[in-house]
């Protein structure tokens, strides 16, 4: 999190302009240095930082509002989301939604047994029903392929432990009763999905 | 009671994950319990909430339809996620929400409405109630009280009563509607933490009542899967509540329902029976053991606001009639609800249900343009209807 701390120091200066800043998503992302954590092309190379490229705009809007309102608790996102107006949120979401996503190049080697176990769990809990046949998501249901494995595991654990406030409680129910090993398997399976 | 395979296996998975794997497919998760194999690949999922401001020109006020003689206008806007509404003694309307975590305050200047965000950062503050000038806020398992609220609009200092109310912390169906009864007690429902599952009947599927500051908990109604709207009959004082039937049992089953609680502690049927539908996922008890609902509202219509009209401005047949705001379906291949209905007494005391506000559901295109949610009678006899999706409040009046 050293990166986060460094970036936070710069916010005090950056913010006043941003509050009434441009409605161009790319410019806004540049001004608020979103790319430092999420990748300039929306594909993160930083541990624990999610990729945003190709994520559904409706999902991104909702998450940015949840950060802005202080509901989704993520210290690193507090300053970047502070004071964003609704049109700014929409512009940022549209910008990242339009960037092409793809399988992560740095995703490491496939552990076939682990991935198979993840696939079995996913089938049993119908992850595809909501996240799409290819996990590509739709509307407010996020893309969960093309994502960092460490972030996926973190997100799934947060839902299971009730520490992530989402737009509804669907994911809390989905994760009910799963262990850390199950989560590791799911994250590995998803990170290696095409 | 509930078939072993639903929960017996879940327990085994927790204790012995390795073994459960060896035995084959893991159990259905909490949210999907009772989902039959033929619905396993269903693409149905809850609709996305709209958490951003809808500009007034995009609010579908002109599409709204009400019966002959009634008018509907846009009364307030710019309240994303607006749900329940309560009125404080000096006229401030407080508006709760779910996803966006805010409580709004609306002041009517006579010519316009001033909307401000009164509280924010709360988890699903969907329950509001007024008593002696204090606003009670129920946000998931939390209960807060803001004393002398209208004098503290810009700087609320809530008293945290959470410990005194000891609500279960499970998030699913943990958002709630609250209201004071004619007995001066605070009524708080607690939905089941799943779609359908085995649960502790002393903690879930209940409507409880409490002393205003917590303590002296009583179970008023049992077997109530998830009620997010209720009111007390203006003449009899009886508790009338709406209830959400479970998901994944098909497009037309079970129906959501309206009940009257005739005796304290009465059991209304969940998980075995819902609106006459004997649930195939559960064995042990049968529908005729439970009092039937007083009205069957329709499958998946999702009743929220459940409110007796106490004004005098509407025609005679609507006095003390019960209005219900149906937020609308998601777990159904064709949309249902997205309207306001009225349940009223016809000749001979028979209850009839009629559509009262429509125009938000487009059956041909299978899309909706708004989600009615909260209801409130104003002192002048107008009826306010909040629209969660558009962050708007409509006002319905009657002129002959």
């Amino acid at each position: 999190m050293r990166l986060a701390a460094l970036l936070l120091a710069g916010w005090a200066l950056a913010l006043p302009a941003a509050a009434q800043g441009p409605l161009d998503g790319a410019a806004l992302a540049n001004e608020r240095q979103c790319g430092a954590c999420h990748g300039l092309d929306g594909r993160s190379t930083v541990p624990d930082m999610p990729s945003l490229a190709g994520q559904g705009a409706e999902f991104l809007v909702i998450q940015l509002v949840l950060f802005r309102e202080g509901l989704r608790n993520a210290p690193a996102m507090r300053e970047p989301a502070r004071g964003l107006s609704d049109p700014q949120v929409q512009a940022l979401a549209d910008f990242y939604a339009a960037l092409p996503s793809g399988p992560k190049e740095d995703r490491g080697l496939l552990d076939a047994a682990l991935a198979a176990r993840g696939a079995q769990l996913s089938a049993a809990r119908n992850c595809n029903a909501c996240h799409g046949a290819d996990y590509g998501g739709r509307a407010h249901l996020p893309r969960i392929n093309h994502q960092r494995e460490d972030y996926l595991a973190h997100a799934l654990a947060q839902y299971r432990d009730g520490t992530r406030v989402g737009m509804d409680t669907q994911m809390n129910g989905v994760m009910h009763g799963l262990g850390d090993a199950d989560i590791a398997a799911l994250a590995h399976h998803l990170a290696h999905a095409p | 009671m509930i078939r072993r395979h639903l929960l017996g296996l879940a327990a085994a998975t927790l204790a012995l994950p390795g073994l459960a794997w060896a035995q084959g497919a893991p159990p259905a998760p909490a949210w999907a319990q009772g989902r039959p194999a033929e619905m396993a690949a269903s693409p149905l999922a809850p609709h996305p909430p709209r958490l951003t401001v809808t500009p007034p020109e995009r609010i579908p006020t002109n599409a709204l339809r009400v019966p002959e003689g009634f008018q509907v206008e846009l009364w307030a806007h710019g309240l994303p996620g607006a749900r329940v509404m309560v009125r404080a003694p000096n006229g401030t309307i407080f508006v709760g929400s779910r996803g966006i975590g805010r409580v709004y305050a609306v002041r009517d200047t006579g010519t316009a409405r001033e909307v401000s965000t009164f509280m924010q950062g709360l988890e699903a503050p969907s329950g509001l109630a007024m008593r002696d000038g204090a606003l009670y806020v129920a946000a998931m398992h939390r209960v807060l009280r803001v004393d002398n609220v209208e004098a503290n609009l810009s700087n609320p200092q809530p008293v945290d009563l959470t410990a005194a109310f000891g609500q279960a912390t499970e998030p699913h169906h943990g958002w709630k509607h609250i209201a004071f009864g004619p007995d001066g007690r605070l009524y708080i429902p607690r939905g089941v933490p799943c779609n359908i599952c085995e649960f502790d009947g002393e903690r879930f599927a209940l409507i409880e009542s409490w002393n205003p500051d917590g303590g002296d908990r009583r179970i008023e109604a049992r077997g109530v899967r998830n009620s997010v709207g209720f009111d007390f009959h203006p003449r009899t004082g009886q508790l009338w509540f709406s209830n959400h039937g479970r998901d994944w049992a098909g497009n037309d089953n079970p129906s959501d329902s309206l009940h009257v609680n005739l005796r304290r502690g009465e059991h209304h049927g969940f998980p075995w029976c819902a609106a006459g539908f004997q649930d195939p996922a559960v064995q042990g008890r049968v529908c005729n053991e439970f009092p039937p609902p007083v009205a069957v509202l329709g499958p998946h219509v999702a009743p929220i606001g459940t409110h007796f009209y106490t004004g005098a401005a509407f025609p005679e047949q609507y006095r003390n009639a019960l209005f219900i705001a149906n937020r609308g379906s998601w777990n159904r291949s064709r949309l249902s609800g997205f309207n306001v209905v009225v349940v009223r007494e016809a000749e001979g005391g028979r209850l009839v249900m009629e559509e009262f506000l429509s125009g938000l559901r487009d059956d041909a295109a299978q899309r909706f343009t708004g989600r009615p949610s909260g209801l409130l009678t104003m002192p002048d006899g107008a009826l306010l209807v909040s629209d969660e999706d558009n962050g708007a409040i409509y006002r319905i009046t009657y002129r002959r």
Side-chain angles (χ1 to χ4, degrees):
Chain A
M1 284 278 97
R2 192 164 301 142
L3 174 63
L6 271 179
L7 282 166
L8 292 187
W11 288 121
L13 288 176
L15 271 182
Q20 42 220 270
L23 274 187
D24 171 344
L28 202 49
N30 187 38
E31 190 178 279
R32 297 210 172 202
Q33 304 171 31
C34 314
C37 296
H38 295 291
L40 290 173
D41 57 356
R43 302 190 193 192
S44 163
T45 52
V46 187
D48 300 324
M49 304 286 164
S51 292
L52 305 177
Q55 192 57 278
E58 272 171 291
F59 171 75
L60 293 171
V61 164
I62 289 166
Q63 300 306 315
L64 285 169
V65 171
L66 294 178
F67 288 126
R68 181 189 72 196
E69 302 288 318
L71 287 162
R72 177 170 169 189
N73 183 22
M77 278 304 295
R78 203 171 294 153
E79 288 306 321
R82 192 188 295 280
L84 286 173
S85 68
D86 285 358
Q88 288 177 320
V89 163
Q90 188 69 55
L92 283 166
D94 290 342
F95 168 65
Y96 281 110
L99 295 178
S101 78
K104 299 208 75 64
E105 281 144 25
D106 56 350
R107 61 183 169 176
L109 291 177
L110 175 73
D111 175 339
L114 191 59
R117 183 174 163 183
Q120 192 185 6
L121 263 168
S122 169
R125 302 207 171 206
N126 286 311
C127 310
N128 296 114
C130 290
H131 292 285
D134 61 353
Y135 298 125
R138 67 189 150 102
H140 68 302
L141 300 160
R143 165 186 294 286
I144 54 174
N145 63 351
H146 302 175
Q147 188 54 280
R148 295 189 63 87
E149 186 170 338
D150 50 11
Y151 172 74
L152 288 166
H154 163 76
L156 294 174
Q158 281 200 313
Y159 287 123
R160 180 199 57 193
D161 301 338
T163 54
R164 174 165 168 183
V165 173
M167 73 193 105
D168 60 31
T169 55
Q170 293 286 338
M171 279 304 297
N172 302 97
V174 168
M175 295 307 294
H176 181 78
L178 291 185
D180 290 345
D182 300 327
I183 286 177
L186 276 169
H188 193 70
H189 162 65
L190 294 172
H192 284 272
Chain B
M1 297 213 162
I2 296 188
R3 258 193 247 149
R4 297 294 306 165
H5 73 259
L6 287 183
L7 270 118
L9 253 175
T13 318
L14 284 178
L16 298 164
L19 259 189
W21 278 107
Q23 286 162 2
W31 68 275
Q33 279 161 12
R35 171 147 127 167
E38 63 271 22
M39 292 190 86
S42 163
L44 297 172
H47 306 294
R50 205 187 298 165
L51 301 186
T52 51
V53 169
T54 306
E57 66 275 11
R58 290 210 356 244
I59 296 173
T61 318
N62 293 336
L64 297 175
R65 297 286 166 267
V66 282
E68 183 81 39
F70 288 91
Q71 293 82 36
V72 53
E73 62 182 309
L74 180 62
W75 188 73
H77 58 87
L79 315 85
R83 278 170 74 105
V84 64
M85 298 174 285
V86 294
R87 187 176 179 279
N90 295 328
T92 310
I93 307 294
F94 291 99
V95 186
S97 68
R98 234 176 82 189
I100 199 164
R102 295 182 183 169
V103 178
Y104 301 97
V106 185
R107 301 281 309 170
D108 190 352
T109 65
T111 50
R113 261 60 57 193
E114 287 169 358
V115 176
S116 60
T117 300
F118 170 65
M119 292 172 87
Q120 64 193 114
L122 296 169
E123 194 176 345
S126 60
L128 300 181
M130 283 299 307
R131 182 173 181 273
D132 297 339
L135 177 72
Y136 284 69
V137 180
M140 284 296 194
H141 64 286
R142 300 179 68 196
V143 182
L144 307 172
R145 190 189 71 217
V146 184
D147 292 319
N148 199 6
V149 62
E150 287 180 287
N152 292 296
L153 287 180
S154 54
N155 183 26
Q157 301 289 331
V159 181
D160 194 334
L161 302 174
T162 303
F165 282 95
Q167 297 291 302
T169 54
E170 282 80 346
H172 199 54
H173 293 151
W175 56 90
K176 40 188 64 90
H177 175 72
I178 58 171
F180 281 99
D183 52 5
R185 295 170 61 81
L186 187 61
Y187 283 66
I188 308 183
R190 174 61 232 206
V192 286
C194 57
N195 176 29
I196 180 170
C197 56
E198 197 168 291
F199 57 90
D200 179 350
E202 298 300 313
R203 291 178 70 224
F204 298 104
L206 301 173
I207 298 178
E208 306 166 349
S209 77
W210 296 74
N211 276 342
D213 297 330
D216 191 29
R217 168 182 184 260
R218 280 187 209 150
I219 294 178
E220 300 287 346
R222 296 174 182 276
V224 182
R225 178 178 172 275
N226 190 32
S227 174
V228 270
F230 53 81
D231 200 358
F232 301 88
H233 193 283
R235 280 199 311 269
T236 66
Q238 281 162 339
L239 170 66
W240 290 57
F241 66 89
S242 55
N243 184 30
H244 289 210
R246 64 112 150 171
D247 299 318
W248 305 120
N251 283 327
D252 296 321
N253 277 313
S255 265
D256 296 341
S257 48
L258 176 70
H259 302 256
V260 184
N261 200 45
L262 292 175
R263 282 177 296 102
R264 174 169 307 144
E266 194 163 45
H267 198 300
H268 295 273
F270 186 79
W272 300 277
C273 181
F277 171 72
Q278 184 75 48
D279 203 304
V282 196
Q283 259 99 66
R285 297 185 67 180
V286 294
C287 275
N288 63 19
E289 292 179 51
F290 306 104
V294 291
V296 174
L297 303 177
H300 306 286
V301 294
I304 308 285
T306 302
H307 174 77
F308 283 104
Y309 175 74
T310 50
F314 285 10
E316 184 60 33
Q317 74 259 35
Y318 295 106
R319 312 268 169 90
N320 294 340
L322 186 79
F323 287 80
I324 300 177
N326 290 317
R327 186 170 171 263
S329 65
W330 67 265
N331 193 243
R332 188 170 199 271
S333 48
R334 290 185 66 77
L335 299 179
S336 62
F338 303 92
N339 59 359
V340 176
V341 298
V342 58
V343 176
R344 60 178 186 84
E345 267 182 38
E347 314 73 57
R350 200 167 47 89
L351 289 181
V352 293
M353 182 170 83
E354 295 157 349
E355 191 166 51
F356 184 76
L357 177 140
S358 61
L360 295 172
R361 190 187 73 227
D362 180 342
D363 286 333
Q366 282 301 302
R367 55 188 287 273
F368 63 89
T369 51
R371 308 194 81 175
S373 190
L375 299 166
L376 183 67
T377 309
M378 294 292 272
D380 67 356
L383 182 72
L384 299 185
V385 179
S386 66
D387 177 342
E388 184 181 15
D389 204 43
N390 290 298
I393 300 175
Y394 310 112
R395 176 171 180 265
I396 302 177
T397 50
Y398 181 75
R399 216 181 304 126
R400 238 167 317 150

